[in-house]
Amino acid sequence: MTAVMWFRRDLRLADNPALLDAVAAGDGRVLGLFVLDPLLWERSGDPRREQLLASLHALSASMGGRLVVRRGDPAEVVPAVAGAVRASSVHVSADYAPYGQERDLAVEGALGCPLVRTGSAYAVAPGRVLNQQGRSYQVFTPYFRAWLEHGWRKPVDAPADVRWIEAPGDELPGVRKAGDASAVDAGAGDAGTGDAGAVEAGEAAAGERWRGWLAGVSAYADERDRPDLDSTSRMSVPLKYGEIHPRTMLADLARRHSAGAEAYRRELAWREFCADLLARYPRAAWEPLRPEFARMQYDEPGERGGPLEAWRAGRTGFPIVDAGMRQLAATGFMHNRVRMIVASFLVKDLHIHWKYGARWFMRSLRDGDLASNALNWQWVAGCGADAAPYFRIFNPVTQGLKFDPSGAYVRRWVPELRNLDGKAAHEPWKHGGAAGYPDQLVDHGEARREALRRYEAIR
């Protein structure tokens, strides 16, 4: 008897209930499968593609090189693989994303054996936390309380006895190695995760990063908004690919009693709040949850050389905005506080629809997660559930001065400003300017007044 473990967003062996079920169903004989779905591959930007490939290489190595990778439509590939090995069942972690649900239904209909869903990418699966009326929460704080009350199971160990079944597969493209200046395969992209250019990926690397950061979690509440300190965990990438499960992280956090641990637990809950909302409202990926915002007046993004391109390139003339966008381009990552600043600038200073920013982030981020990305953009744009009030418009200069007080973050990513000391890097126009650095794209005060005028028109 053989079972198929179809890996998706759970690229790990430990704390993987679906894998344990597959091992039990197959009496230890399991074929590990990953399907490179052309539809998802084509929608991903180079950073996500490269990160996925690196994670798959790491997973396969942990399986003795026996991960079977196939390209194609999962509704055709999975039944074919299962049939070839006469699988008694196919096992997956449940997927609650709009496309994932449709895909799994199509696969289930084409299979000649059961598709068994066990667990998910979340500590509490979407749809489990409901209010007294049996509906999803629209406000985070009561969701968070109910989420904590619901609780979650303890992490489970990796299976002790797995006999990985070999089968023909497609070659997995190479990825960047530490110290290598370019990707092995051009299709994998050539953006690195950091200054060294190496791609950090896999279950072991995720665990090492988490344990190392957890030792200093007590500082998180005070330092999480400081991009100059780089005090955040950088666990969004391992969570995206399932190299670690949030349940594992929550178990570790439960042993820590500090404001930092509590703040981090809220961040994990926010991630699950976003997934819960998207599962209930699939159109929220590109449409506002608050219907009145369908009438909001936005400017066209413009042709080449227009404001949207200047924002993407980090050439707006606002140092904290430009530093964030250049960090994104160079690393596929951006600090969370800076993500809010650059998003507010696009929507409320440039008056460009949030969907253009959300799409650019999904193309550029290594941790691009549809639910978190879309619902966080809606939060900033004021049109989502529990959204920031629209009139909360970040002033990019004061935000930079507050959260990057020494100017270190700005100078790191905007080399034109490196000759300006301290806070002067946030206001180069007050200090004689900086060679090669652009003038401010807009007047923030005027842009703010116009944003509020447009908001009043839809109230």
Side-chain angles (χ1 to χ4, degrees), residues 89-428:
S89 52
V90 174
H91 296 260
V92 296
S93 298
D95 192 334
Y96 291 90
Y99 171 72
Q101 293 187 63
E102 293 178 5
R103 175 204 59 208
D104 288 357
L105 287 173
V107 170
E108 191 169 32
L111 271 175
C113 63
L115 178 68
V116 182
R117 299 169 177 85
T118 310
S120 73
Y122 308 100
V124 182
R128 293 284 182 88
V129 177
L130 303 173
N131 61 24
Q132 292 181 347
Q133 290 74 43
R135 300 174 183 170
S136 294
Y137 285 93
Q138 302 295 302
V139 178
F140 174 67
T141 298
Y143 170 88
F144 179 57
R145 288 195 294 264
W147 180 81
L148 287 173
E149 185 177 345
H150 181 284
W152 41 84
R153 295 181 179 181
K154 294 180 180 179
V156 295
D157 293 332
D161 260 336
V162 188
R163 285 166 286 164
W164 296 109
I165 305 304
E166 296 187 71
D170 297 320
E171 184 178 356
L172 190 60
V175 293
R176 185 196 315 269
K177 305 298 181 184
D180 190 7
S182 63
V184 175
D185 181 83
D190 59 3
T193 56
D195 295 337
V199 179
E200 181 184 274
E203 182 177 4
E208 183 177 355
R209 170 173 285 279
W210 171 241
R211 289 187 295 272
W213 182 82
L214 187 64
V217 68
S218 60
Y220 180 70
D222 295 327
E223 298 181 355
R224 62 180 178 153
D225 284 322
R226 293 282 301 273
D228 57 326
L229 300 179
D230 198 20
S231 298
T232 56
S233 69
R234 298 288 188 106
M235 294 301 295
S236 56
V237 170
L239 282 168
K240 157 68 181 176
Y241 299 96
E243 297 168 345
I244 191 170
H245 197 280
R247 183 176 48 224
T248 301
M249 301 165 75
L250 288 163
D252 290 337
L253 289 168
R255 293 187 284 269
R256 306 275 175 162
H257 303 286
S258 67
E262 177 62 17
Y264 198 89
R265 187 162 33 242
R266 288 181 68 90
E267 292 299 313
L268 289 173
W270 178 264
R271 173 179 178 266
E272 306 210 346
F273 179 57
C274 291
D276 189 82
L277 285 169
L278 186 64
R280 187 169 179 85
Y281 306 106
R283 300 180 70 86
W286 311 118
E287 294 183 6
L289 280 173
R290 294 177 59 182
E292 66 270 26
F293 275 82
R295 306 194 308 273
M296 174 65 78
Q297 177 190 351
Y298 293 106
D299 292 351
E300 290 300 315
E303 302 298 328
R304 184 173 177 81
L308 178 60
E309 183 173 317
W311 176 82
R312 289 174 174 173
R315 301 283 297 171
T316 69
F318 289 86
I320 192 73
V321 174
D322 295 339
M325 298 307 294
R326 296 188 195 188
Q327 180 188 23
L328 176 63
T331 69
F333 178 84
M334 190 191 301
H335 187 280
N336 186 59
R337 166 58 60 169
V338 185
R339 294 189 198 202
M340 292 190 286
I341 296 169
V342 304
S344 178
F345 185 84
L346 181 72
V347 176
K348 298 174 183 178
D349 282 77
L350 300 183
H351 313 300
I352 292 174
H353 198 294
W354 60 269
K355 67 183 179 183
Y356 291 100
R359 288 171 180 167
W360 184 252
F361 269 32
M362 287 300 287
R363 284 185 58 186
S364 305
L365 286 167
R366 290 183 175 273
D367 63 11
D369 174 271
L370 183 62
S372 294
N373 186 58
L375 273 301
N376 276 302
W377 270 93
Q378 290 216 39
W379 185 87
V380 172
C383 59
D386 199 18
Y390 189 83
F391 50 80
R392 184 186 182 190
I393 300 173
F394 289 148
N395 181 319
V397 177
T398 57
Q399 288 282 309
L401 291 169
K402 181 177 181 180
F403 296 113
D404 180 28
S406 70
Y409 174 75
V410 159
R411 280 190 294 274
R412 179 181 181 186
W413 296 108
V414 186
E416 302 98 301
L417 304 177
R418 287 179 182 169
N419 291 329
L420 295 174
D421 295 330
K423 295 183 177 182
H426 290 289
E427 300 176 288

Side-chain angles (χ1 to χ4, degrees), residues 34-45:
F34 187 89
V35 182
L36 278 175
D37 185 340
L39 191 148
L40 294 178
W41 182 262
E42 291 165 8
R43 291 180 180 177
S44 300

